[in-house]
Amino acid sequence: MARPGGRSARVQEAVHTAVRELAEEVGRDALTVPLIAARAEVTPSTVYRRWGDLQALLSDVAVERLRPEAPPEDLGDLGSDLRAWAEQFLDEMGSPAGRAYIRDALLGDADGNNAGQCSAYAAEQVGVILARAADRGETAPDVETVLDHVVAPMMYRILFRPSGHDAAYARRLVAGVLDAPA
């Protein structure tokens, strides 16, 4: 079992940092396990033992990069909070970097754990927004309804129709879920 803050955590941080730095310097397509290992000051066998292959490593890094850095902004009402979050989510995930992270997260995810983790990030953020609304006495849909009617259509567009989505699209999805009966 890995000890939090122990050697395992240091190796993971060094390797993740190496991936991010090298992707910026040489481009993602030029990444190799030996190159990453050298930058992280570990052996390639350490990387292979922990992640298995380059794609699994890139998937792990992507999942970490897709983790929200802060709770959603509190603008004072459900509609404003959910619109702002959806616009930001669409902007970040729909960017070239966001789409690359999504692709990497999914490609190295044979068992579906990384996809589930990314979904959990979105559900957690939506849950914070809905809990705030409930605390204010607002009527709100449940998390799964927001995921089905806001997040899922945005992800479909991001993955399969990467143009033609913008803040107005996110606002329409939010308006639809807030106007729909719960």
Side-chain angles (χ1 to χ4, degrees), residues 44-66:
S45 64
T46 297
V47 175
Y48 288 120
R49 196 171 35 255
R50 180 166 184 140
W51 286 279
D53 62 23
L54 179 62
Q55 191 57 59
L57 170 58
L58 294 176
S59 183
D60 190 48
V61 170
V63 169
E64 187 60 33
R65 297 298 288 170
L66 291 169

Side-chain angles (χ1 to χ4, degrees), residues 4 11-12 26-27 29 34 42 49 53-54 72 75 77 87-88 100 109 111-112 124 139 151 157 167 170:
V11 167
Q12 179 175 330
V26 301
D29 292 340
V42 299
R49 196 171 35 255
D53 62 23
L54 179 62
L75 299 172
D77 68 88
E87 288 175 24
Q88 180 180 357
D109 188 27
D111 59 9
E124 181 180 312
T139 301
V151 178
R157 291 279 182 117

Side-chain angles (χ1 to χ4, degrees), residues 49-129:
R49 196 171 35 255
R50 180 166 184 140
W51 286 279
D53 62 23
L54 179 62
Q55 191 57 59
L57 170 58
L58 294 176
S59 183
D60 190 48
V61 170
V63 169
E64 187 60 33
R65 297 298 288 170
L66 291 169
R67 177 189 312 269
E69 295 176 2
E73 190 173 4
D74 186 349
L75 299 172
D77 68 88
L78 174 59
S80 297
D81 291 353
L82 198 51
R83 277 190 297 277
W85 179 84
E87 288 175 24
Q88 180 180 357
F89 181 88
L90 183 60
D91 183 56
E92 290 175 1
M93 296 299 128
S95 71
R99 286 194 319 274
Y101 284 133
I102 292 167
R103 181 188 69 235
D104 283 343
L106 297 176
L107 286 176
D109 188 27
D111 59 9
N113 288 336
N114 289 344
Q117 185 60 55
C118 291
S119 177
Y121 294 155
E124 181 180 312
Q125 294 273 295
V126 169
V128 167
I129 292 168

Side-chain angles (χ1 to χ4, degrees), residues 104-176:
D104 283 343
L106 297 176
L107 286 176
D109 188 27
D111 59 9
N113 288 336
N114 289 344
Q117 185 60 55
C118 291
S119 177
Y121 294 155
E124 181 180 312
Q125 294 273 295
V126 169
V128 167
I129 292 168
L130 300 179
R132 287 178 187 157
D135 289 347
R136 292 188 293 256
E138 295 177 84
T139 301
D142 63 29
V143 171
E144 291 301 316
T145 298
V146 175
L147 292 177
D148 289 346
H149 296 278
V150 177
V151 178
M154 287 194 299
M155 288 303 296
Y156 177 84
R157 291 279 182 117
I158 289 165
L159 291 171
F160 300 111
R161 301 186 73 192
S163 61
H165 51 75
D166 56 14
Y169 174 67
R171 287 190 299 270
R172 283 192 307 275
L173 292 173
V174 169

